[in-house]
Amino acid sequence: MPPRVLAPHSASTVALAALLACGLIAASHADEGDRRHEPARAAPLKVDPLPPSGPAFSKGVVSVANPYGAEAGARMLEQGGNAIDAAVAIAYALNVVEPQSAGIGGGGFMMIHLAGRGGHGRWHHDDDDDDDKRGKHRGPRGRTFVIDTREKAPAAATPDMFVGVPNASLQGVAVGVPGMVRGSELALRRFGRLDLSDVLVPAITLADDGFAATPRYALVSCNARSQNSPESTAVFCPNGNGTLGPVAGTLVQNKPLAETLRLIARHGADCFYRYQPAKGCDIAKGIVEGQKFAKPGLFNGVVTPGKGGSMTYDDLAAYRPALRGVTQGSYRGYTIKAMSPPSSGGLTLLQMLKMLERFPIGDATQGYGFGSAKTANVMAEAMRVAFADRSIWMGDADFVPVPQRGLLDGTYVGLRGAAIVPGARIDPNPLPGDPRPYETAGLQSSTRLAVAEPVTGPGETTTHFSVVDRWGNMVSFTNTIESSHGIGVFAGYTRDDGMRKSHGFLLNNELTDFNTAPTMNPFTGGPGYNDVQPAKRPRSSMTPAMIFSPDGEPLIAYGSPGGATIINSVLNVTLNLLDHKMTLQEAINAPRLSVTSATSNVTVEAAYPPAAVEGLRALGYTIGNADIGSVQAVLVDPRNGKQYGAADARREGTVIGLPRR
Ligand code: GLU
């Protein structure tokens, strides 16, 4: 059955767009109790099944940005583990083989779909202590939720703590309380089938015995950030010339990290979060001492002291991961679930999709289709409008009243999207809207707003991987230490004998995802939503996502690294799949387009069709070139349960399907 096209082919007036958005484009936050903006539907929409991509499997698939990471996950599945076990094994293994991107010094978002067909490990329906207990996130088949291991600001953090600090993202003050170890322990305890000590085996082996440096490891190891401290310079630039990492193929070992992981395997997460010297648990000391790192640098042309962090043992001991519902909406009849606050990912992605749904993006006969100037034009405009809202309204909803319903309200998004006119560029730049009147919960009196943060490119930062197991449980996991190599400093301390103790993992610089100076809400005059507050999580762009059929069958798990471009990578792939009808691998391979602000500065990948680039230039956009993102995805065909994977050649994307061929 062909897809039902939900929207007419063009609409340029505010009224029409608002009407369309109201009636035809449904999206809701998972917390939304009432469905007043959902259209009435007599019967479920029918959508095209998504086409197979590559060889089919039945016992699980992992798709990871690194071959060793993929192998670690596949082994867990082969040993009887489920997708959660595999995901945790991958995350730890990547700390060894992709240390610049993510690891136990950082955090991330682990989106889980439990299919309800077994393999759930220790999960019981009466699990409590989270908002999932109220059953709000259970779909017709299984349930989808996120373990949020995002770093938190220490208790002594202040909104102005970065002011006047040279190279703030390379100072200890940028280090957030890491979440991965506590979160992965929770994941295994609640939803896994294997023990932490089993799941850590691949990572410990890789760190202890070593691995042959992959070409990418060799390429990205030695850079300005990895040379921030003498210790990291010695590890990542072993040739001493300041530019070259280890030669591809040479053995890379990380004995200190192997020892750290053994401690965690033996004693659990407490050994990471609490300083217990009697047990040999000194990792917390390495974190607290490591984040005191301060290095003088130039500020406004003057040599200025650096600034260490304020993290204490109490901050570490107090860290708790959060179980969260997802942000969800529909596009072309499919249900899209993506990361909720503290990420801006899900809200921004769904806003863009809702604005684009009235255009026949896939229809080349009307001048759209992949890579046409018209498609590129409306994509860029949707990004500009959504990123204008993102700059003001998104942050950690545990601390600030993010208007999640208003931002996705059909009328609101319809009005915002009405500014998009094919063949034109919004000029002057779109301003943020005010979604508060569209909040069904009513206005908050203490509204606080924020401005845009610096945007990082795809580079070496962050990593995304996806897993499906034999039972159909899925994980979509984006994990990060923020910039490449975080602050470029390992956790560690100077021992009583004067020798240096390294724990072998890099400290994050996640707190520079906050506004790095106090900001003001232009609407209310209150502080910015993404300003630093004690124990708050910095706003993220990470967008682990899943696509579901209208009747709730999980189809795809996907996501990407790339700072704010993450959201656009996920958007590009979504349109490629649902509008352009590409296979999963084609959708990942296709060149991407990204705008991460309200400006007309568009970034395209080198292979983006030249006619579209010229068309954008003619409309007054500024065009830059860069690689964008690294998408790892898995797909399930609900008609027969066959499983597929696709990975991104922009990094070392690797798919392993089971049973192995
Ligand atoms: N720290 C960034 C975020 O949470 C991700 C960094 C990156 O992907 O470059 O949005």
Side-chain angles (χ1 to χ4, degrees):
M1 165 110 33
R4 284 264 300 274
V5 176
L6 297 184
H9 297 148
S10 67
S12 58
T13 67
V14 170
L16 180 55
L19 198 68
L20 290 170
C22 243
L24 295 177
I25 308 173
S28 64
H29 183 260
D31 287 342
E32 193 166 15
D34 80 22
R35 295 265 165 171
R36 75 163 77 166
H37 300 296
E38 290 270 1
R41 285 183 183 142
L45 288 164
K46 294 282 181 245
V47 296
D48 273 350
L50 298 170
S53 186
F57 301 95
S58 58
K59 301 286 187 214
V61 178
V62 299
S63 176
V64 186
N66 173 284
Y68 297 106
E71 183 60 34
R75 286 198 188 164
M76 292 305 113
L77 295 179
E78 287 174 318
Q79 289 170 22
N82 64 13
I84 291 88
D85 299 308
V88 173
I90 293 166
Y92 278 96
L94 290 178
N95 189 165
V96 183
V97 298
E98 214 188 10
Q100 70 280 0
S101 299
I104 60 176
F109 302 127
M110 181 182 196
M111 180 177 288
I112 298 173
H113 177 76
L114 296 180
R117 294 189 205 100
H120 289 169
R122 304 166 186 85
W123 173 56
H124 298 296
H125 282 272
D126 60 355
D127 273 347
D128 54 12
D129 81 17
D130 57 70
D131 56 7
D132 203 50
K133 182 189 176 192
R134 297 186 285 279
K136 288 186 301 193
H137 313 307
R138 278 183 206 163
R141 308 251 195 298
R143 59 179 194 160
T144 316
F145 55 94
V146 179
I147 299 181
D148 172 355
T149 64
R150 182 76 164 167
E151 299 90 327
K152 289 182 143 207
T158 58
D160 61 355
M161 68 186 189
F162 295 116
V163 175
V165 178
N167 308 322
S169 76
L170 286 163
Q171 305 284 354
V173 68
V175 181
V177 183
M180 177 178 143
V181 175
R182 208 41 111 191
S184 53
E185 186 180 66
L186 173 76
L188 291 184
R189 187 165 49 78
R190 297 276 294 270
F191 309 109
R193 293 164 60 87
L194 303 179
D195 291 329
L196 188 60
S197 53
D198 302 323
V199 167
L200 276 166
V201 167
I204 293 171
T205 308
L206 284 164
D208 213 7
D209 298 351
F211 63 97
T214 63
R216 181 174 163 75
Y217 184 96
L219 185 71
V220 303
S221 276
C222 185
N223 59 30
R225 298 190 67 90
S226 67
Q227 296 176 73
N228 198 34
S229 63
E231 208 170 41
S232 60
T233 306
V235 170
F236 295 113
C237 309
N239 300 310
N241 61 9
T243 55
L244 290 178
V247 174
T250 53
L251 188 72
V252 177
Q253 289 170 298
N254 188 339
K255 297 280 183 189
L257 181 56
E259 185 49 33
T260 298
L261 297 177
R262 265 192 216 101
L263 283 171
I264 297 169
R266 195 173 310 136
H267 301 292
D270 267 356
C271 192
F272 184 92
Y273 288 94
R274 293 178 193 277
Y275 180 42
Q276 305 165 94
K279 283 167 108 177
C281 296
D282 62 349
I283 308 169
K285 185 175 170 91
I287 298 169
V288 167
E289 293 302 316
Q291 57 92 52
K292 291 181 181 158
F293 180 84
K295 189 173 175 177
L298 286 181
F299 187 81
N300 286 343
V302 179
V303 177
T304 310
K307 188 168 181 183
S310 60
M311 198 192 307
T312 63
Y313 291 125
D314 284 348
D315 287 317
L316 274 169
Y319 185 88
R320 297 284 179 278
L323 262 81
R324 300 195 188 279
V326 295
T327 294
Q328 73 178 64
S330 74
Y331 183 70
R332 310 268 187 232
Y334 295 87
T335 298
I336 315 289
K337 300 186 184 183
M339 185 59 208
S340 49
S343 181
S344 57
L347 289 168
T348 308
L349 173 71
L350 286 163
Q351 273 202 328
M352 295 192 290
L353 288 171
K354 285 163 69 70
M355 286 189 269
L356 290 171
E357 198 171 30
R358 70 184 166 102
F359 301 108
I361 301 285
D363 190 350
T365 66
Q366 298 186 61
Y368 289 90
F370 178 80
S372 77
K374 212 166 172 182
T375 299
N377 176 202
V378 294
M379 284 173 71
E381 294 297 277
M383 290 172 186
R384 296 175 69 205
V385 174
F387 271 84
D389 272 5
R390 174 185 177 277
S391 70
I392 297 293
W393 296 111
M394 300 183 201
D396 183 349
D398 292 347
F399 286 76
V400 291
V402 178
Q404 298 178 64
R405 296 185 185 96
L407 284 163
L408 297 184
D409 176 81
T411 305
Y412 175 70
V413 182
L415 289 165
R416 298 282 293 154
I420 302 173
V421 179
R425 180 177 60 86
I426 300 171
D427 186 28
N429 294 338
L431 294 170
D434 186 351
R436 291 171 301 166
Y438 302 87
E439 280 286 285
T440 52
L443 293 181
Q444 303 277 345
S445 58
S446 61
T447 305
R448 302 168 181 186
L449 305 171
V451 297
E453 90 289 14
V455 165
T456 55
E460 300 101 46
T461 64
T462 314
T463 194
H464 181 87
F465 56 89
S466 300
V467 183
V468 60
D469 66 25
R470 71 182 68 188
W471 301 278
N473 305 307
M474 277 182 166
V475 171
S476 177
F477 197 161
T478 317
N479 215 11
T480 190
I481 52 172
E482 166 51 5
S483 300
S484 174
H485 300 88
I487 62 163
V489 174
F490 288 107
Y493 61 94
T494 304
R495 296 190 317 210
D496 292 343
D497 62 6
M499 298 294 286
R500 185 86 191 141
K501 167 77 188 264
S502 170
H503 291 289
F505 64 91
L506 290 163
L507 296 170
N508 71 80
N509 66 305
E510 214 69 58
L511 301 187
T512 46
D513 270 358
F514 280 120
N515 298 329
T516 50
T519 64
M520 194 188 74
N521 177 339
F523 289 83
T524 69
Y529 272 20
N530 191 36
D531 283 8
V532 180
Q533 288 178 253
K536 189 180 180 183
R537 291 176 161 95
R539 177 181 60 208
S540 175
S541 300
M542 291 189 288
T543 316
M546 295 185 187
I547 301 178
F548 290 72
S549 70
D551 54 355
E553 291 287 356
L555 304 175
I556 289 183
Y558 63 138
S560 177
T565 69
I566 289 171
I567 313 169
N568 295 332
S569 289
V570 175
L571 178 78
N572 278 261
V573 171
T574 307
L575 301 184
N576 292 347
L577 289 164
L578 304 187
D579 287 292
H580 304 307
K581 306 296 176 195
M582 295 181 189
T583 66
L584 192 58
Q585 191 62 61
E586 289 167 347
I588 289 173
N589 294 349
R592 299 182 188 129
L593 174 152
S594 170
V595 187
T596 54
S597 68
T599 70
S600 302
N601 301 328
V602 178
T603 303
V604 291
E605 293 192 305
Y608 209 78
V613 175
E614 284 320 308
L616 290 176
R617 275 207 184 95
L619 291 174
Y621 296 93
T622 308
I623 311 293
N625 273 110
D627 279 353
I628 301 169
S630 166
V631 176
Q632 272 58 238
V634 294
L635 179 154
V636 175
D637 186 335
R639 295 167 302 179
N640 52 27
K642 286 185 179 164
Q643 304 169 334
Y644 305 86
D648 206 322
R650 292 166 180 83
R651 290 190 183 176
E652 291 171 331
T654 305
V655 172
I656 300 179
L658 302 175
R660 294 186 201 243
R661 284 157 187 264

